[in-house]
Amino acid sequence: MSAAEKQSFGNFPAAIWLSEEIFSMAQALGIEAEKAGKLTGIVYRLAEATSENKATHLKITDPAELNFLKNATGTPPISRLTGTPERFFSGEETPLIFEEKNAALYFLRHYRQEIRIAQALLRRASGGNAKQAIAPRAENIITSALPFPLNAEQCSAVRSIISSPLTFVSGGPGTGKTALLLRALLCLYDENPEIRIRLAAPTGKAAVRMKEAIREQARRIAQMPSASEQISPELLEKCQRLEPGTLHSLLKTGASPITMPAPCEIDADYVIIDEASMIDQPIMHRLLASVRAQTRLVFLGDKNQLDSVGPGRIFGAVCAARQLLPARTELTESRRFNASGFLGAFASAIVSGNVPDAEKLLREQEESLPFSPTFSLRPEKFSPKTVDEVLSEIFPERLRCVPADIAPEEILTLVESSRVLTPMRVGAFGTEKLNARARGLFAPPGTATRPHFHGQPILITRNAPRERLYNGDIGVVLLEPQSHSFFAYFRSGDGEIRRVPATLLPDHETAYAMSIHKSQGSEFTRLAVIFPKENSPQEFLSRQLLYTAVTRFREAGDASKFILYYDRETLLGAVARENPMRELLFVKRDTEISGTQNTAARS
């Protein structure tokens, strides 16, 4: 391989090593040097996209590359598909799959996952597990006003959950996904007290919130004088005893795909997943391989949120697929955001990509700042000083200067409700720099550079099942005066506070500031969103990113505070920019996929 070709792959050894390996593999398969060089360049870009979790495939837009791949049918490592995927299921397997119709190049593993996911979902949606009639008692629970009446969309979602083999419920913050879930659970347990239900979420934090929301809804029903006439205490207790876990624990996945064991069958009549927009393609593939044919599947999420961190935009693809329309219910009425209020209207403008409306709302809100103690919009030039001001304003005093005798329950509540969000991890206004400044401001004197300090919020970044800690869990480190040792405190799914010695913590980081990606599934009553002008790839700053950030806020009384610190051009550019990077191509295969269901089942 020439020096010029090596230069095109970057100046770091790993890139050159990988490009040379691909080139050598192509030549070993009998491909002449010129074609091997072309194939190497294309495959390297595919490897880069998939390894960085950008996509499951590489879209080919260059006419010369398209022509090269179209003519590569006889090349050993490539299988070219021009029509239906029938050949893929005939036993022929090659390292690369080029799907000509959609001009997409795949590694075999990702292509196989995508096809099998589509097949499995379509089989379930088309009646692989027949719909059940809704009993009168269940209909009475659905339409009951306990603890408040469900709207028509929510009632429709409950009916789908209890009667259909596959249900996807999409709704933004405050649309009542958890409220309708409890109604569905009550209906299911009322029909069959022995029914086996498993609840899960992609992160530990989301699983905890799922548990807390169910318990709170059940508590409100139990407190109503007339509740026992419709809902027995035993029924409510069954719902409260459910223990949501993480998807990783449900699927018994390893730390990496290399060490991941074979899928284990999930013994359940129902599997219900919250925050389903965070599920990536490999996890969805494993889930569908683990559930039995008769198990009913329910996915709750928000189609307008960010894509999953891993490759594959499963939830968004399902919500865009015409073939899966019967399995979908969309919730549009939000109780958290007044549609005519600033944040509700702003979120709506972001989702629709309406730049003029978004700009008008920003200017109107900026002009009304003196009269709005909750919402503060600041289209100003960023500096370290202004960042310090935001940090000091958004975090309450007892988080800025943590008393030595503060109760873990109190500080956990403060930590869980206060956060700064930013798009980037690195850069002047990335999480690394923001957390470093927060440590300097809030850590006790002389402790800012140490691994732990009293009052330090932390975010777990690696699953540790032995300690029952999972990626995304939020905790706080406190110094125990008696032993002079550091302990971390976390809130478990049942609301109990757990204490873990700091020396036993898995990988973690300080969490005054978080990336917007990692905030999915969370909500904060004191929130600052920083959306600066940065040298980030333009496609990264999308409307999904901005929508996810601003909808993490939940107004709850006078202590609530929302600060949006932004560069106007960057923010409005994000409103205009949708990121379809991770779209699953099965959305576009209307006839091909449905025509190969039986073949896929045999493979």
Side-chain angles (χ1 to χ4, degrees):
M1 180 171 290
S2 67
E5 287 172 322
K6 290 182 180 180
Q7 179 69 24
S8 70
F9 294 107
N11 293 317
F12 51 97
I16 296 173
W17 174 84
L18 178 58
S19 62
E20 288 181 340
E21 284 297 307
I22 298 170
F23 184 82
S24 298
M25 179 191 75
Q27 285 201 305
L29 291 166
I31 303 172
E32 58 188 73
E34 182 181 353
K35 288 185 177 179
K38 287 183 179 178
L39 181 61
T40 299
I42 296 171
V43 175
Y44 176 77
R45 298 204 322 272
L46 172 62
E48 184 180 48
T50 56
S51 65
E52 294 180 0
N53 290 337
K54 294 177 181 177
T56 57
H57 57 272
L58 180 68
K59 290 289 285 185
I60 307 297
T61 56
D62 182 80
E65 291 183 343
L66 274 172
N67 189 56
F68 169 75
L69 290 171
K70 286 178 182 179
N71 294 325
T73 306
T75 303
I78 303 178
S79 178
R80 174 182 169 214
L81 300 176
T82 56
T84 70
E86 293 280 354
R87 246 181 71 193
F88 170 71
F89 298 110
S90 66
E92 177 183 339
E93 293 190 354
T94 55
L96 300 170
I97 304 291
F98 174 57
E99 193 174 75
E100 184 177 333
K101 179 182 178 182
N102 292 301
L105 184 68
Y106 289 80
F107 286 123
L108 174 65
R109 179 171 70 93
H110 288 129
Y111 187 79
R112 178 161 45 202
Q113 287 176 351
E114 182 172 318
I115 294 294
R116 288 181 174 170
I117 288 170
Q119 299 283 353
L121 293 178
L122 285 164
R123 279 198 302 273
R124 289 175 180 272
S126 61
N129 191 359
K131 268 196 171 188
Q132 293 180 346
I134 298 174
R137 283 177 59 86
E139 186 64 33
N140 186 49
I141 293 174
I142 294 169
T143 56
S144 166
L146 300 173
F148 49 78
L150 301 182
N151 61 35
E153 294 170 341
Q154 292 170 317
C155 289
S156 176
V158 175
R159 293 186 185 105
S160 178
I161 290 171
I162 65 176
S163 67
S164 303
L166 177 69
T167 301
F168 286 83
V169 180
S170 176
T175 52
K177 295 188 291 292
T178 308
L180 69 85
L181 173 58
L182 178 62
R183 294 294 180 95
L185 293 174
L186 291 170
C187 290
L188 292 172
Y189 278 127
D190 184 70
E191 177 72 19
N192 178 10
E194 304 305 318
I195 194 169
R196 294 163 299 172
I197 301 173
R198 298 292 299 274
L199 306 181
T203 67
K205 176 62 178 175
V208 169
R209 287 191 61 242
M210 191 181 191
K211 171 72 172 178
E212 291 173 344
I214 290 172
R215 287 171 63 92
E216 174 60 20
Q217 293 286 339
R219 184 188 62 81
R220 291 177 62 185
I221 292 177
Q223 289 178 342
M224 299 186 71
S226 59
S228 59
E229 297 175 8
Q230 295 175 280
I231 308 296
S232 71
E234 292 77 19
L235 212 56
L236 289 172
E237 187 179 348
K238 276 185 173 292
C239 295
Q240 291 177 297
R241 281 207 303 262
L242 285 169
E243 288 291 343
T246 64
L247 262 176
H248 287 86
S249 61
L250 176 69
L251 300 175
K252 298 179 172 60
T253 59
S256 74
I258 296 174
T259 60
M260 193 178 293
C264 299
E265 184 176 271
I266 299 171
D267 185 23
D269 300 305
Y270 265 84
V271 173
I272 302 174
I273 311 295
D274 198 13
E275 297 295 343
S277 63
M278 299 167 67
I279 301 176
D280 61 28
Q281 178 170 302
I283 290 295
M284 179 63 90
H285 181 258
R286 187 177 179 86
L287 174 64
L288 293 173
S290 301
V291 293
R292 299 175 304 179
Q294 64 268 33
T295 299
R296 295 174 180 265
L297 285 172
V298 179
F299 298 91
L300 309 171
D302 184 350
K303 68 176 185 179
N304 295 312
Q305 273 197 180
L306 276 166
D307 299 341
S308 54
V309 174
R313 189 186 177 202
I314 299 293
F315 196 82
V318 167
C319 291
R322 177 190 58 79
Q323 313 97 303
L324 294 171
L325 180 61
R328 298 200 309 266
T329 301
E330 185 163 355
L331 310 176
T332 59
E333 183 182 325
S334 175
R335 288 188 172 96
R336 185 187 300 184
F337 301 129
N338 185 331
S340 61
F342 165 69
L343 209 53
F346 189 49
S348 178
I350 295 170
V351 166
S352 61
N354 192 325
V355 176
D357 276 7
E359 185 169 23
K360 179 173 179 286
L361 287 163
L362 289 173
R363 293 194 183 281
E364 289 176 351
Q365 189 64 28
E366 290 163 10
E367 293 170 0
S368 67
L369 285 181
F371 312 101
S372 177
T374 300
F375 298 101
S376 178
L377 274 60
R378 304 177 188 181
E380 305 171 18
K381 187 175 180 180
F382 290 71
S383 70
K385 181 182 178 182
T386 55
V387 168
D388 290 352
E389 291 173 355
V390 169
L391 290 168
S392 298
E393 188 173 350
I394 210 66
F395 292 103
E397 183 180 358
R398 288 175 76 79
L399 270 183
R400 301 195 306 268
C401 186
V402 180
D405 60 349
I406 194 167
E409 166 75 27
E410 179 187 354
I411 192 168
L412 260 178
T413 299
L414 293 173
V415 165
E416 290 167 346
S417 62
S418 308
R419 204 63 44 89
V420 175
L421 301 181
T422 182
M424 290 80 59
R425 181 175 179 83
V426 298
F429 303 101
T431 57
E432 292 179 355
K433 289 287 181 67
L434 291 172
N435 278 316
R437 293 200 70 83
R439 289 173 70 111
L441 287 172
F442 306 147
T447 66
T449 59
R450 296 178 185 175
H452 298 114
F453 59 86
H454 185 66
Q456 176 190 16
I458 59 171
L459 171 72
I460 300 298
T461 58
R462 181 178 60 82
N463 292 332
R466 181 178 298 178
E467 284 75 34
R468 291 186 294 150
L469 293 173
Y470 297 92
N471 185 18
D473 285 355
I474 292 289
V476 62
V477 174
L478 296 177
L479 179 65
E480 187 178 82
Q482 294 82 3
S483 64
H484 298 285
S485 299
F486 286 107
F487 290 88
Y489 295 84
F490 300 86
R491 197 186 305 275
S492 61
D494 58 3
E496 295 295 319
I497 306 297
R498 293 177 48 238
R499 188 175 83 155
V500 179
T503 54
L504 297 181
L505 288 172
D507 295 348
H508 59 282
E509 58 190 33
T510 302
Y512 290 104
M514 286 172 59
S515 69
I516 297 170
H517 279 82
K518 290 188 176 181
S519 73
Q520 292 184 88
S522 300
E523 58 182 41
F524 309 101
T525 56
R526 298 186 66 83
L527 175 66
V529 175
I530 294 181
F531 218 79
K533 187 177 184 64
E534 283 275 354
N535 296 321
S536 300
Q538 285 297 298
E539 67 272 10
F540 175 72
L541 299 175
S542 64
R543 71 179 65 149
Q544 289 93 340
L545 188 80
L546 181 59
Y547 169 84
T548 301
V550 301
T551 55
R552 297 310 91 204
F553 178 68
R554 179 174 61 84
E555 191 169 357
D558 296 339
S560 303
K561 187 71 179 177
F562 176 83
I563 300 174
L564 180 60
Y565 220 113
Y566 63 100
D567 174 82
R568 188 184 303 278
E569 182 181 354
T570 302
L571 187 142
L572 293 176
V575 175
R577 188 180 304 110
E578 184 173 19
N579 184 3
M581 187 177 294
R582 297 183 186 161
E583 180 182 23
L584 288 180
L585 292 183
F586 83 71
V587 175
K588 300 177 181 176
R589 301 190 189 106
D590 289 356
T591 57
E592 301 99 293
I593 293 296
S594 57
T596 56
Q597 290 184 56
N598 294 332
T599 311
R602 293 194 301 268
S603 65

